[in-house]
Amino acid sequence: MPIMPDTWIRRMAAEHGMIEPFVEAQRREGVISFGLSSYGYDARAAEEFKIFTNVDNAVVDPKAFSEEGFVTRKGPVCIIPPNSFVLTHTVEYFRIPRDVLVICLGKSTYARCGLIVNVTPLEPEWEGQVTIEISNTTPLPAKVYANEGVCQFLFLKGESPPEVSYADRRGKYMGQRGVALPRL
């Protein structure tokens, strides 16, 4: 399963709309880097954040998720409370080819501050904006910046296409826009 280089990522974005909007080269000047890198693509956090809170003593249940467990904030910065987490989504919309699996990894700039991005796959033929979970593992409030890099995606090309793709099985998170909450 080879990891795909910048030339392939650029071509797939241009010819097949694999990443929209697509940033041709990594941007770094005064921001947490985003855009095309040697073997990946650094995506940006959007300006929508769902911050988990325990104000209403809600229980987080993936089978019966209640929106009472978080507050929504929009803007260029999000403050994550100590030992808490936030959901956001990528600015970019992804369309994954049938013979590719994509892995999402956190950026080291945030990791060095105790902020951890969930590791998640984007399955063959999945498409949408990616919901990103950022955990603040520190005892201090922490900032996350919208429209700047939040995670990196690595594109792994399979030896052959799978028998059944995410689209074939009509996955429940297909075509999501914005933060997609847990679904059963």
Side-chain angles (χ1 to χ4, degrees):
M1 217 178 208
I3 188 167
M4 304 310 288
D6 51 5
T7 52
W8 181 89
I9 297 167
R10 182 183 298 112
R11 181 173 51 80
M12 294 301 289
E15 295 176 10
H16 301 282
M18 186 174 75
I19 304 169
E20 292 181 327
F22 180 75
V23 177
E24 176 72 25
Q26 206 168 50
R27 304 254 167 90
R28 301 173 182 232
E29 56 286 339
V31 299
I32 298 172
S33 64
F34 62 91
L36 184 64
S37 63
S38 302
Y39 283 98
Y41 188 88
D42 291 13
R44 295 167 284 175
E47 290 191 1
E48 176 187 10
F49 300 95
K50 296 195 180 292
I51 306 163
F52 279 75
T53 178
N54 197 22
V55 171
D56 295 327
N57 291 320
V59 173
V60 177
D61 181 350
K63 290 186 174 185
F65 191 80
S66 170
E67 293 189 31
E68 292 177 358
F70 61 79
V71 295
T72 300
R73 296 287 185 263
K74 295 188 180 211
V77 173
C78 176
I79 305 295
I80 306 174
N83 302 307
S84 187
F85 65 99
V86 67
L87 296 176
T88 187
H89 63 86
T90 58
V91 168
E92 295 82 1
Y93 190 93
F94 290 83
R95 291 175 187 87
I96 308 306
R98 187 172 182 92
D99 61 348
V100 172
L101 177 72
V102 181
I103 303 295
C104 173
L105 302 171
K107 300 222 10 117
S108 66
T109 299
Y110 279 127
R112 293 165 200 239
C113 297
L115 296 174
I116 308 302
V117 171
N118 65 307
V119 175
T120 192
L122 308 184
E123 295 188 44
E125 289 193 319
W126 176 84
E127 72 171 70
Q129 289 176 314
V130 182
T131 297
I132 303 292
E133 183 260 330
I134 307 166
S135 296
N136 177 2
T137 64
T138 75
L140 306 169
K143 282 186 180 181
V144 173
Y145 295 89
N147 297 306
E148 296 189 21
V150 69
C151 60
Q152 182 179 58
F153 292 96
L154 304 177
F155 299 81
L156 305 170
K157 191 167 176 88
E159 186 175 305
S160 64
E163 287 183 19
V164 179
S165 74
Y166 195 84
D168 294 339
R169 65 177 180 270
R170 295 180 180 92
K172 60 187 171 185
Y173 298 111
M174 183 62 122
Q176 67 190 26
R177 291 198 180 266
V179 172
L181 300 177
R183 299 176 189 152
L184 187 59

